[in-house]
Amino acid sequence: MRVTDLPYRLYARRLRGQLAGARLPRHVGLIMDGNRRWARSKGLSDTRLGHRYGAEHAENVLSWCEDLGIRYVTVFLCSTENLRNRADDEIDFLMRVVEDLVTDRLGHPGSRWQLHIAGSPDALPDTTARALKQAVEATRTCTTGAHVTLAIGYGGRQEIVDAFRDLLSESAGSGKSLADIADSLTAEDLAAHLYTPDQPDPDLVIRTSGEQRLSNFLLWQSAYAELYFCEAYWPAFREIDFLRALRNFADRQRRYGA
């Protein structure tokens, strides 16, 4: 241990002590923002490398969640807007990073996290979609009860559109008319057709890099989530930053829209 590590570790231990017995989120959403700005701040000539550091750091954050018993985590890796608006070379690099992440780190049979995907596979390169599918299959028999969802090629509005389309198709197949659907439609009906229907809604959404917006992330599921914004860029997001977010969450009185 370096001498300079001691104050950090003591503070982290203090924060963990403050969380002992506290109400913690069951499901955490993570908007891992600031990879390129972090790379620029480190003087890296290729800011795309920030994506690689950011992807590798995701595994560290999952270990913090595991230590605290947080069993559901959704990580926002890439939005539909990213796929449309970023330069081709950056998207190609990011997709390779994602493929390496799921193949080498998260998507193997011994993984302690069952992997799920939220998004539109058709919008992804074939190699990326195939790597994600294989990783999901490889972790399907995971018995730890821990679930990580990678939101890639994901858009919250598109998810709701897709869910409504699936609901209409299913209802029409069972002989219901539009009038029947309109009369009986509930929020639960639509929620059952979202990308991850069997998971609880996030209790806490954390965004790094100082930006204070959801950016089309889990719009339906985050209706009653607590939001926490951290100034640190994602690759520099420390365990104490995470523990502070959880302490802030534990201190809040959740109102669920009331």
Side-chain angles (χ1 to χ4, degrees), residues 113-186:
W113 292 81
Q114 184 175 353
L115 185 66
H116 308 271
I117 304 301
S120 302
D122 293 344
L124 303 175
D126 290 342
T127 55
T128 307
R130 184 164 54 250
L132 292 170
K133 182 179 179 180
Q134 291 171 349
V136 168
E137 289 301 320
T139 64
R140 192 175 298 279
T141 58
C142 176
T143 59
T144 65
H147 300 264
V148 58
T149 299
L150 303 183
I152 177 169
Y154 174 86
R157 287 183 173 182
Q158 187 60 48
E159 179 180 22
I160 295 170
V161 170
D162 288 345
F164 193 58
R165 182 182 293 119
D166 288 347
L167 173 65
L168 290 176
S169 178
E170 179 185 88
S171 299
S174 63
K176 291 184 179 179
S177 67
L178 284 177
D180 293 334
I181 298 170
D183 287 342
S184 63
L185 182 64
T186 67

Side-chain angles (χ1 to χ4, degrees), residues 21 41-42 118 136 168 180 199 217 231 247:
S41 73
K42 294 297 182 181
V136 168
L168 290 176
D180 293 334
Q199 297 190 17
F217 178 59
E231 293 293 327
R247 181 180 63 182

Side-chain angles (χ1 to χ4, degrees), residues 12-66:
R13 182 185 301 174
R14 178 186 173 190
L15 288 171
R16 285 191 291 269
Q18 291 173 349
L19 290 172
R23 174 179 53 87
L24 296 179
R26 184 184 182 194
H27 183 175
V28 173
L30 298 168
I31 304 176
M32 40 186 286
D33 194 22
N35 291 329
R36 292 185 302 168
R37 280 170 284 169
W38 175 85
R40 195 174 298 116
S41 73
K42 294 297 182 181
L44 299 179
S45 58
D46 187 352
T47 58
R48 297 178 306 174
L49 291 172
H51 294 309
R52 185 166 298 281
Y53 283 98
E56 293 172 355
H57 188 47
E59 193 173 24
N60 297 328
V61 181
L62 288 178
S63 72
W64 304 339
C65 292
E66 184 177 8

